[in-house]
Amino acid sequence: AQTVTQSQPEMSVQEAETVTLSCTYDTSESDYYLFWYKQPPSRQMILVIRQEAYKQQNATENRFSVNFQKAAKSFSLKISDSQLGDAAMYFCAYRSEGAQKLVFGQGTRLTINP
Amino acid sequence: DAGVIQSPRHEVTEMGQEVTLRCKPISGHDYLFWYRQTMMRGLELLIYFNNNVPIDDSGMPEDRFSAKMPNASFSTLKIQPSEPRDSAVYFCASSHRQGGWETQYFGPGTRLLVL
């Protein structure tokens, strides 16, 4: 079974700085999808960014980008120019090709210091 | 377009009572998922439907839990009888294949407290 590990329970960063959240996963599959979701205090799960495993190019969405290292099974999220609104729990998730189930990591709580 | 709608947003009930959580998926989405989030177990998939048919209910904790999807725009998750250990946030999510992607969009969740 696939597992997703987020080794940083908490992270903090100064406003306007850059922060990187770590995620590793364990799988024997070659085709899959990876996601980062954000959960602010409102509890709403919001999709931040997604990556197909067959694509070597790292996904980017405005201030959010990923560093996808397939061989190392690593999928980190970089947030540039951190803003107060970025404060939230961040969850890394894995989905197999052809499957529907999302496997989530334990989450990382990100604090933005003004 | 409205997102996934869940009701109620908060529910407080006493042990032994029946609890019904409701979900309206995004129009046009053919997959619907029910998740539970707790501090101890994190986010876990309970059950999902495709075109109103339950596909995988292996995450449903026990017979006290049941889920239905009578039509494409409505689903319920029922707990009967409820127990304090059922206290959690329950999320509904829906998805649809578009451009090779099936991304799950989540509702706001229902925070359930069983006393």
Side-chain angles (χ1 to χ4, degrees):
Chain A
Q2 294 83 16
T3 59
V4 177
T5 302
Q6 294 178 248
S7 59
Q8 307 153 314
E10 296 184 354
M11 292 281 286
S12 64
V13 64
Q14 290 295 124
E15 191 176 5
E17 297 293 307
T18 294
V19 63
T20 298
L21 308 184
S22 301
C23 173
T24 58
Y25 55 94
D26 185 24
T27 185
S28 59
E29 300 170 338
S30 58
D31 294 326
Y32 49 87
Y33 301 89
L34 297 164
F35 304 83
W36 278 98
Y37 280 88
K38 167 185 176 181
Q39 187 178 39
S42 67
R43 298 198 315 270
Q44 178 89 44
M45 293 287 287
I46 302 166
L47 177 67
V48 175
I49 198 165
R50 58 191 184 185
Q51 174 86 39
E52 299 117 310
Y54 66 85
K55 284 190 175 179
Q56 292 187 346
Q57 185 174 6
N58 289 322
T60 300
E61 290 286 342
N62 300 313
R63 299 183 295 107
F64 298 87
S65 62
V66 298
N67 184 4
F68 174 49
Q69 301 289 330
K70 191 172 185 180
K73 297 179 183 177
S74 172
F75 183 61
S76 61
L77 174 69
K78 185 172 81 171
I79 306 174
S80 304
D81 185 24
S82 299
Q83 301 176 0
L84 295 178
D86 296 333
M89 283 288 288
Y90 285 81
F91 291 93
C92 179
Y94 172 103
R95 181 170 70 79
S96 300
E97 170 68 39
Q100 297 301 320
K101 180 178 180 178
L102 279 175
V103 178
F104 285 91
Q106 307 93 315
T108 297
R109 182 175 300 281
L110 177 64
T111 301
I112 311 296
N113 300 313
Chain B
D1 187 16
V4 176
I5 299 172
Q6 291 186 247
S7 64
R9 294 293 306 277
H10 303 272
E11 178 80 22
V12 180
T13 190
E14 293 187 346
M15 184 175 62
Q17 296 297 306
E18 177 180 294
V19 175
T20 300
L21 311 181
R22 298 173 176 79
C23 174
K24 177 180 171 55
I26 294 172
S27 178
H29 283 196
D30 50 359
Y31 285 92
L32 183 138
F33 306 81
W34 283 101
Y35 289 88
R36 179 172 66 176
Q37 185 180 31
T38 62
M39 289 294 292
M40 292 298 296
R41 301 175 65 90
L43 271 156
E44 48 183 351
L45 177 68
L46 300 178
I47 185 172
Y48 78 88
F49 296 81
N50 178 218
N51 293 322
N52 313 337
V53 177
I55 302 300
D56 183 355
D57 65 355
S58 60
M60 296 286 264
E62 49 198 275
D63 292 344
R64 297 184 298 106
F65 286 69
S66 63
K68 294 182 180 180
M69 192 166 185
N71 57 63
S73 59
F74 184 66
S75 177
T76 59
L77 178 67
K78 185 175 294 186
I79 308 172
Q80 167 63 20
S82 58
E83 297 182 3
R85 60 191 168 122
D86 302 330
S87 298
V89 179
Y90 291 82
F91 288 99
C92 177
S94 69
S95 72
H96 173 68
R97 193 170 187 87
Q98 185 173 18
W101 277 101
E102 288 175 37
T103 297
Q104 294 181 25
Y105 295 91
F106 285 73
T110 294
R111 181 180 289 276
L112 173 65
L113 177 62
V114 183
L115 302 173

mmCIF file of all heavy atoms in Angstrom, chain B residues 15-45:
data_model
loop_
_atom_site.group_PDB
_atom_site.id
_atom_site.type_symbol
_atom_site.label_atom_id
_atom_site.label_comp_id
_atom_site.label_asym_id
_atom_site.label_seq_id
_atom_site.Cartn_x
_atom_site.Cartn_y
_atom_site.Cartn_z
ATOM 1 N N MET B 15 -24.706 10.422 22.339
ATOM 2 C CA MET B 15 -24.415 9.023 22.026
ATOM 3 C C MET B 15 -25.709 8.241 21.848
ATOM 4 O O MET B 15 -26.654 8.384 22.645
ATOM 5 C CB MET B 15 -23.576 8.423 23.144
ATOM 6 C CG MET B 15 -23.133 7.003 22.903
ATOM 7 S SD MET B 15 -22.021 6.429 24.203
ATOM 8 C CE MET B 15 -23.076 6.525 25.620
ATOM 9 N N GLY B 16 -25.728 7.433 20.798
ATOM 10 C CA GLY B 16 -26.902 6.608 20.535
ATOM 11 C C GLY B 16 -27.865 7.192 19.530
ATOM 12 O O GLY B 16 -28.720 6.475 18.996
ATOM 13 N N GLN B 17 -27.719 8.484 19.273
ATOM 14 C CA GLN B 17 -28.613 9.126 18.314
ATOM 15 C C GLN B 17 -28.160 8.855 16.883
ATOM 16 O O GLN B 17 -26.988 8.581 16.614
ATOM 17 C CB GLN B 17 -28.667 10.634 18.558
ATOM 18 C CG GLN B 17 -29.257 11.013 19.912
ATOM 19 C CD GLN B 17 -30.690 10.570 20.046
ATOM 20 O OE1 GLN B 17 -31.543 10.889 19.217
ATOM 21 N NE2 GLN B 17 -30.975 9.812 21.102
ATOM 22 N N GLU B 18 -29.113 8.980 15.977
ATOM 23 C CA GLU B 18 -28.807 8.856 14.546
ATOM 24 C C GLU B 18 -28.335 10.202 14.015
ATOM 25 O O GLU B 18 -28.904 11.243 14.347
ATOM 26 C CB GLU B 18 -30.035 8.391 13.776
ATOM 27 C CG GLU B 18 -29.818 8.294 12.274
ATOM 28 C CD GLU B 18 -31.067 7.816 11.548
ATOM 29 O OE1 GLU B 18 -31.467 6.664 11.756
ATOM 30 O OE2 GLU B 18 -31.633 8.617 10.772
ATOM 31 N N VAL B 19 -27.308 10.157 13.185
ATOM 32 C CA VAL B 19 -26.766 11.365 12.575
ATOM 33 C C VAL B 19 -26.773 11.188 11.064
ATOM 34 O O VAL B 19 -26.353 10.143 10.558
ATOM 35 C CB VAL B 19 -25.324 11.621 13.042
ATOM 36 C CG1 VAL B 19 -24.726 12.814 12.312
ATOM 37 C CG2 VAL B 19 -25.276 11.824 14.550
ATOM 38 N N THR B 20 -27.240 12.192 10.355
ATOM 39 C CA THR B 20 -27.234 12.159 8.883
ATOM 40 C C THR B 20 -26.511 13.380 8.352
ATOM 41 O O THR B 20 -26.905 14.516 8.637
ATOM 42 C CB THR B 20 -28.656 12.107 8.317
ATOM 43 O OG1 THR B 20 -29.316 10.922 8.790
ATOM 44 C CG2 THR B 20 -28.610 12.067 6.802
ATOM 45 N N LEU B 21 -25.475 13.135 7.583
ATOM 46 C CA LEU B 21 -24.705 14.196 6.938
ATOM 47 C C LEU B 21 -25.068 14.206 5.454
ATOM 48 O O LEU B 21 -25.234 13.155 4.848
ATOM 49 C CB LEU B 21 -23.206 13.954 7.113
ATOM 50 C CG LEU B 21 -22.736 13.646 8.541
ATOM 51 C CD1 LEU B 21 -21.228 13.463 8.577
ATOM 52 C CD2 LEU B 21 -23.185 14.704 9.514
ATOM 53 N N ARG B 22 -25.141 15.404 4.892
ATOM 54 C CA ARG B 22 -25.608 15.542 3.520
ATOM 55 C C ARG B 22 -24.573 16.222 2.636
ATOM 56 O O ARG B 22 -23.799 17.059 3.112
ATOM 57 C CB ARG B 22 -26.920 16.324 3.498
ATOM 58 C CG ARG B 22 -28.048 15.629 4.252
ATOM 59 C CD ARG B 22 -29.286 16.480 4.356
ATOM 60 N NE ARG B 22 -30.387 15.747 4.997
ATOM 61 C CZ ARG B 22 -30.508 15.559 6.297
ATOM 62 N NH1 ARG B 22 -29.603 16.052 7.133
ATOM 63 N NH2 ARG B 22 -31.534 14.879 6.782
ATOM 64 N N CYS B 23 -24.628 15.871 1.366
ATOM 65 C CA CYS B 23 -23.652 16.412 0.428
ATOM 66 C C CYS B 23 -24.285 16.594 -0.947
ATOM 67 O O CYS B 23 -24.990 15.711 -1.449
ATOM 68 C CB CYS B 23 -22.438 15.487 0.308
ATOM 69 S SG CYS B 23 -21.243 15.984 -0.950
ATOM 70 N N LYS B 24 -24.002 17.743 -1.544
ATOM 71 C CA LYS B 24 -24.377 17.998 -2.928
ATOM 72 C C LYS B 24 -23.084 18.210 -3.704
ATOM 73 O O LYS B 24 -22.365 19.192 -3.468
ATOM 74 C CB LYS B 24 -25.264 19.236 -3.031
ATOM 75 C CG LYS B 24 -25.641 19.626 -4.452
ATOM 76 C CD LYS B 24 -26.526 20.853 -4.455
ATOM 77 C CE LYS B 24 -26.737 21.404 -5.866
ATOM 78 N NZ LYS B 24 -27.276 20.386 -6.791
ATOM 79 N N PRO B 25 -22.761 17.316 -4.634
ATOM 80 C CA PRO B 25 -21.506 17.459 -5.379
ATOM 81 C C PRO B 25 -21.597 18.569 -6.424
ATOM 82 O O PRO B 25 -22.674 19.103 -6.686
ATOM 83 C CB PRO B 25 -21.352 16.092 -6.059
ATOM 84 C CG PRO B 25 -22.761 15.611 -6.232
ATOM 85 C CD PRO B 25 -23.513 16.122 -5.047
ATOM 86 N N ILE B 26 -20.479 18.895 -6.991
ATOM 87 C CA ILE B 26 -20.438 19.863 -8.086
ATOM 88 C C ILE B 26 -21.176 19.271 -9.286
ATOM 89 O O ILE B 26 -20.966 18.093 -9.622
ATOM 90 C CB ILE B 26 -18.991 20.216 -8.449
ATOM 91 C CG1 ILE B 26 -18.327 20.962 -7.278
ATOM 92 C CG2 ILE B 26 -18.923 21.055 -9.719
ATOM 93 C CD1 ILE B 26 -16.837 21.195 -7.441
ATOM 94 N N SER B 27 -22.008 20.068 -9.899
ATOM 95 C CA SER B 27 -22.794 19.601 -11.038
ATOM 96 C C SER B 27 -21.881 19.072 -12.147
ATOM 97 O O SER B 27 -20.908 19.726 -12.529
ATOM 98 C CB SER B 27 -23.655 20.746 -11.568
ATOM 99 O OG SER B 27 -24.386 20.339 -12.704
ATOM 100 N N GLY B 28 -22.218 17.875 -12.641
ATOM 101 C CA GLY B 28 -21.421 17.291 -13.708
ATOM 102 C C GLY B 28 -20.331 16.351 -13.243
ATOM 103 O O GLY B 28 -19.741 15.623 -14.045
ATOM 104 N N HIS B 29 -20.044 16.374 -11.961
ATOM 105 C CA HIS B 29 -19.035 15.454 -11.427
ATOM 106 C C HIS B 29 -19.650 14.074 -11.233
ATOM 107 O O HIS B 29 -20.756 13.935 -10.738
ATOM 108 C CB HIS B 29 -18.498 15.976 -10.097
ATOM 109 C CG HIS B 29 -17.523 17.087 -10.260
ATOM 110 N ND1 HIS B 29 -16.672 17.497 -9.238
ATOM 111 C CD2 HIS B 29 -17.225 17.879 -11.315
ATOM 112 C CE1 HIS B 29 -15.910 18.478 -9.668
ATOM 113 N NE2 HIS B 29 -16.236 18.732 -10.925
ATOM 114 N N ASP B 30 -18.878 13.044 -11.635
ATOM 115 C CA ASP B 30 -19.431 11.694 -11.567
ATOM 116 C C ASP B 30 -18.826 10.844 -10.451
ATOM 117 O O ASP B 30 -19.201 9.681 -10.300
ATOM 118 C CB ASP B 30 -19.284 10.988 -12.924
ATOM 119 C CG ASP B 30 -17.878 11.084 -13.490
ATOM 120 O OD1 ASP B 30 -17.003 11.710 -12.855
ATOM 121 O OD2 ASP B 30 -17.640 10.531 -14.585
ATOM 122 N N TYR B 31 -17.886 11.413 -9.719
ATOM 123 C CA TYR B 31 -17.356 10.717 -8.548
ATOM 124 C C TYR B 31 -17.692 11.522 -7.301
ATOM 125 O O TYR B 31 -17.588 12.752 -7.299
ATOM 126 C CB TYR B 31 -15.833 10.557 -8.632
ATOM 127 C CG TYR B 31 -15.377 9.496 -9.606
ATOM 128 C CD1 TYR B 31 -15.087 9.811 -10.929
ATOM 129 C CD2 TYR B 31 -15.216 8.178 -9.189
ATOM 130 C CE1 TYR B 31 -14.664 8.841 -11.816
ATOM 131 C CE2 TYR B 31 -14.792 7.199 -10.075
ATOM 132 C CZ TYR B 31 -14.524 7.543 -11.386
ATOM 133 O OH TYR B 31 -14.098 6.575 -12.268
ATOM 134 N N LEU B 32 -18.041 10.793 -6.236
ATOM 135 C CA LEU B 32 -18.294 11.434 -4.958
ATOM 136 C C LEU B 32 -17.608 10.635 -3.862
ATOM 137 O O LEU B 32 -17.669 9.404 -3.857
ATOM 138 C CB LEU B 32 -19.798 11.532 -4.664
ATOM 139 C CG LEU B 32 -20.166 12.266 -3.380
ATOM 140 C CD1 LEU B 32 -21.367 13.176 -3.599
ATOM 141 C CD2 LEU B 32 -20.393 11.326 -2.227
ATOM 142 N N PHE B 33 -16.971 11.360 -2.953
ATOM 143 C CA PHE B 33 -16.157 10.740 -1.907
ATOM 144 C C PHE B 33 -16.597 11.252 -0.540
ATOM 145 O O PHE B 33 -16.943 12.416 -0.388
ATOM 146 C CB PHE B 33 -14.674 11.105 -2.093
ATOM 147 C CG PHE B 33 -14.129 10.804 -3.457
ATOM 148 C CD1 PHE B 33 -14.340 11.682 -4.524
ATOM 149 C CD2 PHE B 33 -13.379 9.659 -3.684
ATOM 150 C CE1 PHE B 33 -13.827 11.417 -5.788
ATOM 151 C CE2 PHE B 33 -12.866 9.385 -4.942
ATOM 152 C CZ PHE B 33 -13.099 10.261 -5.996
ATOM 153 N N TRP B 34 -16.530 10.365 0.431
ATOM 154 C CA TRP B 34 -16.705 10.757 1.833
ATOM 155 C C TRP B 34 -15.403 10.464 2.586
ATOM 156 O O TRP B 34 -14.888 9.347 2.546
ATOM 157 C CB TRP B 34 -17.846 9.990 2.497
ATOM 158 C CG TRP B 34 -19.208 10.476 2.143
ATOM 159 C CD1 TRP B 34 -20.088 9.940 1.244
ATOM 160 C CD2 TRP B 34 -19.891 11.608 2.711
ATOM 161 N NE1 TRP B 34 -21.261 10.659 1.205
ATOM 162 C CE2 TRP B 34 -21.157 11.694 2.109
ATOM 163 C CE3 TRP B 34 -19.546 12.554 3.684
ATOM 164 C CZ2 TRP B 34 -22.084 12.684 2.436
ATOM 165 C CZ3 TRP B 34 -20.455 13.539 4.000
ATOM 166 C CH2 TRP B 34 -21.717 13.587 3.382
ATOM 167 N N TYR B 35 -14.879 11.494 3.262
ATOM 168 C CA TYR B 35 -13.670 11.379 4.068
ATOM 169 C C TYR B 35 -13.988 11.739 5.512
ATOM 170 O O TYR B 35 -14.915 12.487 5.801
ATOM 171 C CB TYR B 35 -12.578 12.357 3.590
ATOM 172 C CG TYR B 35 -11.938 12.028 2.270
ATOM 173 C CD1 TYR B 35 -12.477 12.479 1.078
ATOM 174 C CD2 TYR B 35 -10.757 11.282 2.222
ATOM 175 C CE1 TYR B 35 -11.869 12.192 -0.137
ATOM 176 C CE2 TYR B 35 -10.144 10.994 1.012
ATOM 177 C CZ TYR B 35 -10.706 11.447 -0.159
ATOM 178 O OH TYR B 35 -10.096 11.166 -1.361
ATOM 179 N N ARG B 36 -13.148 11.221 6.401
ATOM 180 C CA ARG B 36 -13.222 11.591 7.807
ATOM 181 C C ARG B 36 -11.845 12.091 8.237
ATOM 182 O O ARG B 36 -10.812 11.490 7.867
ATOM 183 C CB ARG B 36 -13.640 10.385 8.654
ATOM 184 C CG ARG B 36 -13.731 10.667 10.139
ATOM 185 C CD ARG B 36 -14.330 9.501 10.897
ATOM 186 N NE ARG B 36 -13.510 8.302 10.882
ATOM 187 C CZ ARG B 36 -13.817 7.192 11.558
ATOM 188 N NH1 ARG B 36 -14.933 7.153 12.255
ATOM 189 N NH2 ARG B 36 -13.032 6.147 11.504
ATOM 190 N N GLN B 37 -11.834 13.167 9.014
ATOM 191 C CA GLN B 37 -10.576 13.724 9.506
ATOM 192 C C GLN B 37 -10.577 13.759 11.030
ATOM 193 O O GLN B 37 -11.445 14.375 11.644
ATOM 194 C CB GLN B 37 -10.334 15.135 8.955
ATOM 195 C CG GLN B 37 -8.973 15.710 9.335
ATOM 196 C CD GLN B 37 -8.745 17.104 8.771
ATOM 197 O OE1 GLN B 37 -9.675 17.893 8.589
ATOM 198 N NE2 GLN B 37 -7.504 17.425 8.458
ATOM 199 N N THR B 38 -9.606 13.104 11.639
ATOM 200 C CA THR B 38 -9.411 13.136 13.081
ATOM 201 C C THR B 38 -7.948 13.420 13.368
ATOM 202 O O THR B 38 -7.084 13.241 12.503
ATOM 203 C CB THR B 38 -9.793 11.800 13.737
ATOM 204 O OG1 THR B 38 -8.934 10.764 13.202
ATOM 205 C CG2 THR B 38 -11.232 11.427 13.471
ATOM 206 N N MET B 39 -7.687 13.858 14.565
ATOM 207 C CA MET B 39 -6.304 14.133 14.951
ATOM 208 C C MET B 39 -5.479 12.853 14.930
ATOM 209 O O MET B 39 -4.319 12.858 14.514
ATOM 210 C CB MET B 39 -6.265 14.753 16.349
ATOM 211 C CG MET B 39 -6.780 16.178 16.402
ATOM 212 S SD MET B 39 -5.707 17.299 15.495
ATOM 213 C CE MET B 39 -4.248 17.260 16.513
ATOM 214 N N MET B 40 -6.096 11.771 15.373
ATOM 215 C CA MET B 40 -5.334 10.527 15.500
ATOM 216 C C MET B 40 -5.051 9.860 14.150
ATOM 217 O O MET B 40 -3.959 9.353 13.925
ATOM 218 C CB MET B 40 -6.096 9.555 16.398
ATOM 219 C CG MET B 40 -6.186 9.994 17.846
ATOM 220 S SD MET B 40 -4.556 10.111 18.602
ATOM 221 C CE MET B 40 -4.043 8.387 18.538
ATOM 222 N N ARG B 41 -6.019 9.872 13.262
ATOM 223 C CA ARG B 41 -5.908 9.104 12.029
ATOM 224 C C ARG B 41 -5.745 9.966 10.781
ATOM 225 O O ARG B 41 -5.562 9.421 9.687
ATOM 226 C CB ARG B 41 -7.126 8.195 11.884
ATOM 227 C CG ARG B 41 -7.293 7.215 13.047
ATOM 228 C CD ARG B 41 -8.580 6.419 12.902
ATOM 229 N NE ARG B 41 -8.558 5.558 11.730
ATOM 230 C CZ ARG B 41 -8.109 4.315 11.725
ATOM 231 N NH1 ARG B 41 -7.618 3.784 12.847
ATOM 232 N NH2 ARG B 41 -8.126 3.594 10.622
ATOM 233 N N GLY B 42 -5.821 11.286 10.954
ATOM 234 C CA GLY B 42 -5.680 12.165 9.798
ATOM 235 C C GLY B 42 -6.890 12.054 8.883
ATOM 236 O O GLY B 42 -8.004 11.784 9.332
ATOM 237 N N LEU B 43 -6.654 12.238 7.589
ATOM 238 C CA LEU B 43 -7.716 12.165 6.592
ATOM 239 C C LEU B 43 -7.794 10.751 6.033
ATOM 240 O O LEU B 43 -6.810 10.238 5.510
ATOM 241 C CB LEU B 43 -7.412 13.129 5.445
ATOM 242 C CG LEU B 43 -7.928 14.545 5.581
ATOM 243 C CD1 LEU B 43 -7.113 15.486 4.739
ATOM 244 C CD2 LEU B 43 -9.395 14.622 5.214
ATOM 245 N N GLU B 44 -8.956 10.159 6.114
ATOM 246 C CA GLU B 44 -9.105 8.805 5.597
ATOM 247 C C GLU B 44 -10.386 8.700 4.774
ATOM 248 O O GLU B 44 -11.424 9.239 5.142
ATOM 249 C CB GLU B 44 -9.110 7.783 6.736
ATOM 250 C CG GLU B 44 -10.014 8.119 7.882
ATOM 251 C CD GLU B 44 -9.946 7.114 9.019
ATOM 252 O OE1 GLU B 44 -9.315 6.048 8.879
ATOM 253 O OE2 GLU B 44 -10.545 7.401 10.080
ATOM 254 N N LEU B 45 -10.270 7.975 3.670
ATOM 255 C CA LEU B 45 -11.403 7.772 2.782
ATOM 256 C C LEU B 45 -12.337 6.729 3.374
ATOM 257 O O LEU B 45 -11.901 5.644 3.747
ATOM 258 C CB LEU B 45 -10.910 7.318 1.406
ATOM 259 C CG LEU B 45 -11.987 6.996 0.373
ATOM 260 C CD1 LEU B 45 -12.735 8.265 -0.032
ATOM 261 C CD2 LEU B 45 -11.356 6.341 -0.853
#
